[in-house]
């Protein structure tokens, strides 16, 4: 998984665009935390006053009042922190939701070619894991960073006011830290990119293994697959350990630098206390060391934010890369709504290729009139499914035109086109939910009675009623409880219920037994009346009654005519039909 474009700082600006709608809440929290931090800066000063004045003067009343004031400041800080946690957590999760919604919505619009080229597990990890990993940065990182930057300014003001000499000693450690951060930056960023790559690979293999578990167990591949999984898991673990090592180095480095500078301040501060003109007293030294701790704490937080930012960048690269993936099949500028379809279809010199230079269809032309049934046959890979995919505009043609009722479908909106078409793919996908929900998937407005009638038409009603809850039986994703034939029948009912003007059946009866196929054919004969239908079938017995049959081979239409005409020609269709006939004898 290689990121096609290197990270641009503009990506962070895009992230800010997601934060902008919540600027009011973020500003409220920021003011709250800055006021809390500003008031907290007085606590070491209170300690200095007590050590240098109230305790030597035995002013108990002033000590109690100052302690009570300190208690109020601490209480305000606790309440402010609680409010900050509540607000930033909600804002962070809202932003996460918006980003995930945008990436998922974009995935819904991407063409089939995008999914053809990528393991689905790699896509899933971007929507779930990568977006989740931005949570801490958005919930706490930004507010904490701005607050701590302001804290540093407050602290430095108090420190310089108290002792410029001690403050300059404290600042001596900062150049060392900056050099160290610059040294780690490139290595740390690369380490997190490698880690996200390994995570993506592991997730993709897990998804593939779950989908293919039946094949795995059938071929006794459990041990080999476990070995592959362990290698991928070890690679992810090693990449994660290397990336985290850079993160963990930062904190101790800040602690070491702060400890060394604090030690110098103690040594020099105590030696300067003997000189009355130095302005260093016991109270000043104690209060100053308290400020030193407060000075390095935000430095440590900023270092952690820097780590989080580098980690987030490695995920943002892939998140925004997905969102920026071009939608190759989209509405043309000024596209109109498709008028109610009558059913005339025409391909005019259509050429198409999935890859540059490898043409699947070459100048294909044909016409289908309203209400006709067109059968498409031919060898595997000849382009049969490609023709109906182009008709549904799942892909754009390289050249030529696809016309419905004389209208070029590239000039109408995709939604208005597909809403008037019914498609049953070769892969009968069943969604998790009830049988009723699956049949109603393409038309949410229909009644239960219409769903049942559609199921009866395609001969699915019988096996559905044998299930424990009939049409309200829960079935799992991909319909694991159903046979392949049952899944196809449910998908067929789904396509028919949409009442399409153009009906596309891609291997619709490939997994249905012969007895069911005979019953199904009776229902189809009624349903196909008045619609233009395209049927792709390897079982030639199911398409004998088609108005005309196209034999596709070598990227074009090799033969076209009715069943009787093609049989009489004794060409490729005749050979195919006779091979099936001889096989069945």
């Amino acid at each position: 998984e290689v990121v096609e474009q290197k990270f641009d700082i503009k990506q962070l600006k895009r992230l800010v665009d997601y934060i902008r709608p919540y600027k009011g809440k973020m500003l409220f929290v920021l003011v709250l935390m800055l006021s809390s931090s500003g008031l907290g800066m007085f606590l070491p000063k209170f300690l200095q006053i007590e050590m240098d004045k109230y305790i030597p003067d035995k002013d108990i009343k002033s000590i109690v009042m100052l302690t009570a004031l300190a208690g109020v400041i601490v209480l305000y800080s606790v309440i402010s922190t609680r409010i900050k946690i509540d607000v930033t957590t909600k804002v962070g999760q809202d932003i996460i939701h918006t980003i995930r919604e945008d990436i998922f919505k974009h995935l819904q619009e991407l063409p089939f070619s995008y999914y053809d080229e990528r393991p689905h597990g790699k896509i899933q990890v971007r929507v779930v894991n990568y977006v989740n990993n931005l949570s801490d940065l958005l919930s706490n990182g930004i507010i904490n960073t701005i607050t701590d930057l302001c804290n540093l300014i407050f602290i430095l003001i108090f420190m310089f006011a108290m002792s410029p000499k001690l403050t300059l000693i404290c600042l001596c450690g900062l150049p060392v830290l900056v050099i160290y951060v610059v040294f780690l930056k490139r290595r740390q960023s690369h380490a997190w990119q490698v880690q996200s790559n390994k995570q993506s690979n592991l997730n993709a293999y897990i998804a593939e293994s779950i989908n293919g578990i039946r094949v795995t167990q059938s071929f006794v591949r459990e041990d080999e697959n476990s070995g592959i999984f362990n290698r991928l898991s070890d690679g992810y673990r090693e990449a994660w350990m290397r990336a985290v090592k850079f993160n963990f180095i930062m904190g101790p480095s800040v602690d070491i630098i702060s400890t060394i500078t604090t030690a110098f301040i103690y040594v020099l501060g105590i030696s300067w206390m003997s000189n009355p003109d130095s302005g260093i007293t016991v109270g000043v030294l104690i209060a100053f060391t308290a400020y030193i701790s407060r000075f390095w704490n935000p430095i440590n937080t900023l270092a952690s934010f820097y780590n989080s930012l580098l980690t987030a960048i490695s995920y943002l690269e892939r998140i925004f890369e997905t969102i920026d993936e071009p939608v190759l099949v989209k509405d043309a500028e000024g596209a109109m709504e498709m008028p109610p379809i009558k059913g005339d279809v025409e391909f005019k010199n259509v050429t198409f290729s999935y890859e540059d230079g490898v043409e699947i269809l070459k100048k294909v032309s044909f016409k289908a009139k309203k209400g006709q049934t067109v059968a498409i046959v031919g060898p595997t890979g000849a382009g049969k499914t490609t023709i109906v995919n182009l008709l549904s505009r799942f892909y754009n043609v390289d050249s030529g035109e696809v016309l419905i009722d004389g209208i070029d479908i590239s000039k109408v909106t995709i939604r208005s086109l597909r809403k008037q078409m019914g498609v049953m793919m070769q892969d009968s996908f069943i969604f998790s939910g009830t049988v009723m929900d699956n049949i109603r998937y393409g038309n949410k407005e229909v009644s239960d009675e219409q769903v049942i009638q559609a199921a009866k038409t395609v001969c699915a009603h019988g096996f559905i009623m044998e299930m424990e809850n009939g049409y309200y039986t829960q079935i799992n994703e991909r319909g694991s409880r159903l046979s392949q034939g049952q899944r196809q029948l449910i998908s067929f009912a789904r396509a028919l219920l949409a009442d399409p003007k153009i009906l596309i059946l891609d291997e619709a009866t490939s997994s249905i037994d012969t007895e069911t196929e005979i019953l199904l054919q009776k229902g189809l004969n009624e349903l196909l009346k008045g619609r233009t239908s395209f049927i792709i079938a390897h079982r030639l017995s199911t398409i004998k009654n088609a108005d005309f049959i196209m034999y596709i081979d070598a990227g074009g239409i090799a033969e076209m005519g009715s069943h009787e005409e093609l049989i009489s020609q004794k060409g490729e269709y005749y050979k195919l039909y006779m091979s099936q006939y001889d096989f069945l004898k």
Side-chain angles (χ1 to χ4, degrees), residues 106-120 123 325-330 352-355 385-396 414 418 423-427 429 431 441 504 506:
H106 190 69
L107 287 171
Q108 301 290 298
E109 298 174 349
L110 290 176
F112 286 178
S113 56
Y114 178 81
Y115 299 95
D116 293 340
E117 298 168 359
R118 292 165 177 80
H120 294 176
I123 300 172
E325 188 71 29
V327 180
L328 300 178
V329 181
K330 59 183 178 180
F352 174 78
S353 57
Y354 292 104
E355 300 175 18
T385 299
T386 301
I387 288 176
V388 295
N389 280 341
L390 294 177
L391 180 59
S392 301
R393 212 180 156 211
F394 292 131
Y395 300 91
N396 288 324
I414 294 173
R418 293 179 185 165
V423 182
M424 180 179 172
M425 296 291 187
Q426 187 172 355
D427 179 18
F429 194 93
F431 297 89
Y441 187 82
I504 296 172
D506 189 348

Side-chain angles (χ1 to χ4, degrees), residues 259-271:
T259 301
I260 292 173
T261 54
T262 303
F264 271 108
I265 286 170
Y266 270 120
V267 171
L268 294 174
I270 291 172
S271 64

Side-chain angles (χ1 to χ4, degrees), residues 10 17 193 225 231 327 331 349 358 407 409 442 517 580:
K10 292 180 181 178
D17 289 338
Q193 287 178 335
N225 287 6
R231 288 195 295 274
V327 180
D331 294 340
N349 297 317
V358 184
I407 300 172
I409 63 172
E517 182 184 332
Q580 289 193 12

Side-chain angles (χ1 to χ4, degrees), residues 441-452:
Y441 187 82
N443 189 348
K444 295 292 185 182
E445 305 302 321
V446 297
S447 64
D448 291 358
E449 290 73 18
Q450 289 173 297
V451 171
I452 295 170

Side-chain angles (χ1 to χ4, degrees), residues 292-427:
I292 291 175
S293 174
R294 290 170 177 265
F295 174 79
W296 287 105
N297 278 338
I299 294 291
N300 217 339
T301 303
L302 290 173
S304 297
F305 174 76
Y306 179 75
N307 286 333
S308 298
L309 188 61
L310 288 181
T311 305
I313 284 173
S314 69
Y315 298 126
L316 281 174
E317 287 173 328
R318 287 164 170 81
I319 291 170
F320 287 133
E321 181 192 50
T322 304
I323 293 177
D324 292 339
E325 188 71 29
V327 180
L328 300 178
V329 181
K330 59 183 178 180
D331 294 340
E333 187 175 349
M336 64 178 185
E337 292 288 305
M338 183 71 189
I341 290 176
K342 297 175 182 177
D344 292 331
V345 174
E346 181 179 3
F347 274 51
K348 294 177 67 174
N349 297 317
V350 171
T351 298
F352 174 78
S353 57
Y354 292 104
E355 300 175 18
D356 291 339
V358 184
E359 293 181 342
I360 303 299
L361 299 179
K362 304 172 185 176
K363 295 187 178 298
V364 172
S365 297
F366 68 86
K367 290 182 179 180
K369 295 180 181 179
K370 171 186 174 182
Q372 284 190 322
T373 298
V374 181
I376 307 174
V377 299
T380 300
K384 302 185 299 296
T385 299
T386 301
I387 288 176
V388 295
N389 280 341
L390 294 177
L391 180 59
S392 301
R393 212 180 156 211
F394 292 131
Y395 300 91
N396 288 324
V397 300
D398 295 346
S399 63
E401 293 179 316
V402 178
L403 307 174
I404 295 180
D405 299 336
I407 300 172
D408 187 344
I409 63 172
S410 66
K411 294 180 171 58
V412 302
T413 62
I414 294 173
R415 182 177 291 272
S416 67
L417 171 69
R418 293 179 185 165
K419 284 184 72 173
Q420 300 186 65
M421 301 177 70
V423 182
M424 180 179 172
M425 296 291 187
Q426 187 172 355
D427 179 18

Side-chain angles (χ1 to χ4, degrees), residues 33-48:
M33 294 310 298
L34 288 178
S35 61
S36 173
S37 299
L39 291 172
M41 294 301 150
F42 288 98
L43 296 179
K45 187 66 178 178
F46 290 171
L47 186 61
Q48 178 204 342

